[in-house]
Amino acid sequence: MSVNVKKRRLIARYLNPIVEVFYKIKINNTNFKNHPPIIIMTPGKVASSSIYDTLKQNIDNPTYHIHLFSPSLIQNSIKDNLNSDRKYVPLHLTISKLLTKKMSNYNGETYIITVVREPISRAVSSFFQNSAYYRNEIEDSELQIKTDKAKELLYKNLDTGICVLLENWFETEIKDNFGIDVFETAFDNEKKYKIFHNGKNHHLLLKMEDIDSIFPKAIQEFLDLKKPLSLQKSNVGENKHYAKAYQEIKSNIVLPKKILDEIVTSKYFQHFYKDKELKVISKWGEKKSKDLY
């Protein structure tokens, strides 16, 4: 598996200009008139790849899977990735750059889908998904994760206000770009999803923890489909080259009370997971050891 990962990284690094030309032609030649675009836009590691693959196989609308829509943030993220151990631009950023440019001249219907996830689980999963970003620090020559190094760096990441980052993401990527404030009204915990409308912008908000059960109904209502769509799973962390280290570290994380308190009292957590404080504290708090490192 590590050989395949190395090949993919080399291709991504050295063939990026060709890939960008391909997607530029494809996106520029896509007509949104008869089939409005569907943009799956999330902070990452929230089952968004599964939604993307499901829609690509079942819906005629052009569908895109990105994490950023603000041009300045896209450019900053491109620079950060090129300056990191990764040394290449992830495909989603290339698509973001091209898509936002095309949509600057588009004023038709747009359908945005966002999924949220319990913030610690999302942050841990995202860290490993982006292991190439830190590969000189946490990977050996065979792409095996050095668990001690990974755990140390992960703890630093978890101590950087992960919920504030998510709140800011909603502010800049959803509210500023599409005029939809997801925090303005309470999330529908009974229905387990929420649909927003702002002019020609339509937004479906889901929670990953409920996605298997509610996705068919939610997507049918959101896109006015004749029948529900079952979600097809893809991009599962347990199947990746880092799976062993991911499971080991995830099972042994112990976060200090200070970080947990900041998370469970945050605007993001209280909006989406208000009834899950004790469960999250129990899962990620003091258990077997007080030695975090």
Side-chain angles (χ1 to χ4, degrees):
M1 185 180 290
S2 62
V3 174
N4 292 332
V5 174
K6 288 180 180 179
K7 287 181 179 178
R8 288 200 300 270
R9 288 179 178 178
L10 285 172
I11 291 171
R13 183 172 181 179
Y14 294 107
L15 297 185
N16 184 264
I18 297 174
V19 171
E20 181 166 344
V21 170
F22 170 80
Y23 277 99
K24 182 176 183 179
I25 294 171
K26 183 177 181 180
I27 291 174
N28 286 345
N29 289 332
T30 300
N31 188 348
F32 293 162
K33 185 176 180 180
N34 296 324
H35 298 290
I38 299 172
I39 304 175
I40 301 161
M41 192 163 70
T42 70
K45 297 312 295 178
V46 291
S48 51
S49 293
S50 298
I51 295 176
Y52 174 75
D53 290 341
T54 300
L55 296 183
K56 285 289 286 185
Q57 295 177 34
N58 294 280
I59 301 294
D60 291 330
N61 301 61
T63 303
Y64 304 95
H65 180 204
I66 61 176
H67 304 302
L68 296 173
F69 197 83
S70 303
S72 61
L73 295 183
I74 293 169
Q75 288 302 322
N76 288 339
S77 188
I78 288 173
K79 291 178 183 178
D80 287 344
N81 276 277
L82 290 174
N83 291 328
S84 74
D85 295 343
R86 178 179 266 141
K87 301 299 181 188
Y88 63 84
V89 180
L91 179 59
H92 68 84
L93 285 174
T94 298
I95 293 174
S96 289
K97 181 175 71 171
L98 298 171
L99 180 62
T100 53
K101 186 174 182 180
K102 179 179 176 65
M103 292 195 67
S104 64
N105 297 314
Y106 173 72
N107 60 359
E109 305 287 326
T110 302
Y111 294 84
I112 308 108
I113 301 173
T114 302
V115 186
V116 297
R117 182 180 182 181
E118 182 268 292
I120 303 173
S121 297
R122 192 210 71 84
V124 174
S125 183
S126 180
F127 174 84
F128 281 95
Q129 174 71 20
N130 291 288
S131 59
Y133 192 94
Y134 316 99
R135 64 183 181 186
N136 291 344
E137 292 185 72
I138 68 172
E139 291 182 354
D140 63 22
S141 60
E142 297 302 317
L143 304 188
Q144 295 300 306
I145 302 292
K146 295 179 280 189
T147 54
D148 289 344
K149 289 288 186 180
K151 185 184 291 187
E152 182 179 352
L153 187 55
L154 176 58
Y155 273 113
K156 290 179 180 178
N157 284 1
L158 290 170
D159 193 20
T160 57
I162 58 174
C163 287
V164 173
L165 292 175
L166 292 170
E167 292 160 15
N168 291 341
W169 183 91
F170 273 104
E171 180 75 20
T172 57
E173 299 308 307
I174 302 299
K175 184 179 178 181
D176 291 352
N177 289 315
F178 302 102
I180 295 169
D181 185 354
V182 303
F183 297 110
E184 189 174 23
T185 56
F187 185 78
D188 193 335
N189 285 307
E190 182 176 346
K191 197 173 184 180
K192 297 184 178 179
Y193 66 90
K194 190 158 186 175
I195 295 174
F196 302 83
H197 302 283
N198 178 38
K200 294 182 179 181
N201 294 327
H202 313 283
H203 185 221
L204 170 62
L205 185 61
L206 312 162
K207 292 206 303 189
M208 179 178 167
E209 292 80 7
D210 302 315
I211 200 166
D212 288 334
S213 61
I214 57 91
F215 176 80
K217 178 182 177 182
I219 201 67
Q220 181 182 20
E221 179 184 345
F222 184 57
L223 299 179
D224 193 25
L225 304 177
K226 293 181 180 179
K227 60 181 181 179
L229 285 180
S230 297
L231 188 67
Q232 302 167 19
K233 292 295 182 70
S234 60
N235 196 28
V236 179
E238 284 76 3
N239 298 330
K240 298 300 185 71
H241 73 280
Y242 53 72
K244 183 178 179 181
Y246 172 58
Q247 288 296 338
E248 179 182 341
I249 293 177
K250 184 175 70 169
S251 300
N252 292 284
I253 289 177
V254 181
L255 293 179
K257 184 177 183 298
K258 175 180 176 291
I259 293 179
L260 284 171
D261 285 346
E262 288 177 355
I263 289 171
V264 300
T265 59
S266 69
K267 178 180 178 180
Y268 174 91
F269 193 96
Q270 288 296 306
H271 190 79
F272 295 113
Y273 298 96
K274 188 174 182 179
D275 59 339
K276 304 297 182 183
E277 292 98 335
L278 293 180
K279 183 177 181 179
V280 168
I281 290 172
S282 175
K283 179 178 181 180
W284 302 107
E286 296 288 344
K287 290 171 282 192
K288 299 176 183 177
S289 173
K290 294 183 180 179
D291 183 7
L292 298 182
Y293 302 98

